Amino acid sequence: NLAAGAADGVVAARLHVAAFTALATDDESSFDVKASAARALANALRPLEDVEDEAVNPSLSQCALELLASDHREAGASLARALVLATELDEGTVKKLSAALVAAIDSDGAIGALANLLARGATAAPSVLPKLVATRSQASIVCIGNFALKDAGAVVDCGAVPVLADCLGDEALRRSACAALRNVAASNPGAVAPFSEALARVLGEVPN
């Protein structure tokens, strides 16, 4: 009920965050309890995404890391994504979350959280790219596109560009694939050149 009430506004959301933080960071809490609290926190933090760098208990990032390394990876990924979107994270925490999300990349939630982390200027190990390419989902394509903002060369080297070009023919994926290819082309236009006609065709069909 508290989680559902998170939509009441920023004040209510902060109260809910405080309540669930106590559960998520309690050393006596089981992983099941922490996972439930993490999912509730992810909902409670949502109204705070528009609040500039909301301050929360630093222990929450540690909770996310613990869950990502457990059987509750989806809950950890949900909390990590919420922290990325709604709070200010120091460089050390960003690096730890990036590494943990890469390690948990088989989780759909981890792919989405990593995409958000990369969008905010973080970096990730290039070793994650083959898994993202093989996944071939909306979230993985967005993640590849965000990766290209920092390291387009790694995206090219892992063979992602032909796969992204092929995704232009999939109506469900073409918008994300188009954006990802444009990110690659911004610093490595030669890698995208063989697919320029298909990309131009899609750019004419898909609004920015």
Side-chain angles (χ1 to χ4, degrees):
N1 289 338
L2 282 174
D8 294 345
V10 170
V11 174
R14 285 175 175 154
L15 291 173
H16 301 153
V17 168
F20 292 122
T21 295
L23 288 173
T25 59
D26 187 347
D27 291 338
E28 300 299 319
S29 293
S30 67
F31 271 119
D32 287 340
V33 171
K34 287 188 176 185
S36 296
R39 285 189 287 268
L41 274 163
N43 289 330
L45 282 165
R46 200 161 290 139
L48 303 179
E49 291 177 9
D50 294 328
V51 179
E52 186 72 18
D53 296 331
E54 182 71 12
V56 298
N57 190 324
S59 298
L60 285 182
S61 59
Q62 183 58 40
C63 176
L65 291 170
E66 290 177 0
L67 291 171
L68 283 166
S70 73
D71 292 333
H72 299 280
R73 291 180 299 171
E74 288 294 344
S78 294
L79 179 55
R81 180 179 183 277
L83 292 174
V84 169
L85 293 175
T87 72
E88 180 179 9
L89 301 172
D90 62 71
E91 185 177 349
T93 299
V94 167
K95 289 181 178 178
K96 289 178 182 178
L97 282 176
S98 175
L101 289 167
V102 167
I105 207 63
D106 287 336
S107 155
D108 289 339
I111 294 176
L114 183 61
N116 290 124
L117 197 62
L118 293 172
R120 294 195 68 168
T123 58
S127 59
V128 74
L129 287 169
K131 174 62 181 178
L132 294 174
V133 172
T135 301
R136 202 172 168 129
S137 67
Q138 178 88 5
S140 68
I141 291 172
V142 171
C143 201
I144 293 169
N146 290 348
F147 198 105
L149 293 171
K150 285 281 190 177
D151 192 352
V155 172
V156 173
D157 291 343
C158 80
V161 172
V163 176
L164 293 172
D166 188 53
C167 289
L168 293 174
D170 186 326
E171 187 173 351
L173 302 177
R174 66 173 53 177
R175 184 185 296 270
S176 298
C178 182
L181 286 168
R182 291 177 72 179
N183 288 347
V184 173
S187 59
N188 198 332
V192 180
F195 311 100
S196 58
E197 288 187 13
L199 183 56
R201 186 164 56 251
V202 172
L203 285 170
E205 298 172 357
V206 178
N208 290 334

